[in-house]
């Protein structure tokens, strides 16, 4: 059987605190719950998942660089780095795979400094405000992209 394409899912700073971090904004699911749900969904749609979290900008940059030639797609919730990191944007612009940006909260309903995301400049699409469901929807979208791109 051919190997399932791997989708790298990268989570940025403070997302390791999900579950106890402001549940009204981010929901009650822990990051481990989200990972479990992503693995389940990926299995159903023929994808494999490499799920990671880091509080360090440089580590995230390295992961994105290393994914070139290896990952079939990237789903990224860069947390607060979305709004500040030109280094992550630069790494994303070198990506040879589709990028989907996810945020649990609706960043457009919050403080004005969250309304701009550097990640968006390199993303095929953005899902925000749908809580942990956003990750699963991003996986579905990724499966669709990979299918249509194979057919072209
Ligand atoms: C977030 C939104 C960011 O503004 C915030 O800094 C986060 C989480 C979200 O998933 O809603 O850490 O990316």
């Amino acid at each position: 059987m051919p190997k399932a394409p791997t989708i790298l899912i990268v989570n940025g700073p403070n997302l390791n605190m999900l579950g106890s971090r402001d549940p009204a904004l981010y929901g009650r699911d822990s990051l481990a719950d989200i990972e479990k749900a992503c693995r389940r969904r990926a299995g159903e749609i023929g994808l494999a998942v490499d799920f990671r979290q880091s509080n360090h900008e440089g580590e995230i940059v390295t992961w994105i660089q290393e994914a070139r030639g290896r990952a079939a797609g990237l789903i990224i919730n860069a947390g607060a780095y979305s709004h500040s990191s030109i280094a992550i944007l630069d790494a994303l612009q070198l990506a040879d795979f589709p990028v989907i940006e996810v945020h649990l909260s609706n960043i457009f309903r919050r403080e004005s400094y969250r309304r701009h995301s550097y990640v968006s400049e390199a993303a095929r699409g953005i899902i925000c405000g749908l809580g942990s469901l956003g990750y699963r929807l991003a996986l579905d979208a990724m499966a669709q992209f990979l299918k249509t791109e194979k057919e072209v």
Side-chain angles (χ1 to χ4, degrees):
M1 222 167 76
K3 206 172 151 266
T6 299
I7 308 303
L8 176 62
I9 304 183
V10 171
N11 295 280
N14 298 304
L15 293 167
N16 53 317
M17 303 304 286
L18 288 178
S20 56
R21 180 186 178 198
D22 210 339
L25 259 180
Y26 298 119
R28 296 208 172 274
D29 286 348
S30 67
L31 197 61
D33 295 331
I34 295 176
E35 175 173 1
K36 217 161 132 196
C38 284
R39 288 194 185 285
R40 191 180 315 124
R41 185 68 191 142
E44 286 163 3
I45 58 178
L47 297 174
V49 152
D50 179 355
F51 195 96
R52 304 181 189 193
Q53 188 275 334
S54 177
N55 291 326
H56 303 280
E57 185 177 17
E59 188 167 38
I60 294 171
V61 168
T62 301
W63 287 345
I64 297 167
Q65 290 175 358
E66 288 172 352
R68 280 160 52 88
R70 291 194 203 166
L74 170 68
I75 295 170
I76 180 163
N77 181 352
Y81 287 145
S82 316
H83 317 299
S84 68
S85 179
I86 298 171
I88 290 177
L89 171 60
D90 285 349
L92 290 172
Q93 280 173 335
L94 293 172
D96 54 2
F97 39 74
V99 176
I100 300 179
E101 177 178 8
V102 169
H103 297 281
L104 295 150
S105 64
N106 181 349
I107 55 173
F108 300 101
R109 271 180 80 164
R110 300 183 59 194
E111 302 92 335
S112 58
Y113 53 81
R114 293 186 203 273
R115 284 187 204 136
H116 175 265
S117 163
Y118 287 101
V119 171
S120 302
E121 290 181 41
R124 181 84 64 101
I126 307 157
I127 299 173
C128 79
L130 302 182
S132 59
L133 173 64
Y135 285 76
R136 276 164 283 156
L137 295 175
L139 277 169
D140 287 352
M142 201 60 91
Q144 193 62 43
F145 293 157
L146 297 180
K147 208 167 127 205
T148 28
E149 271 150 40
K150 225 196 273 160
E151 282 161 8
V152 184

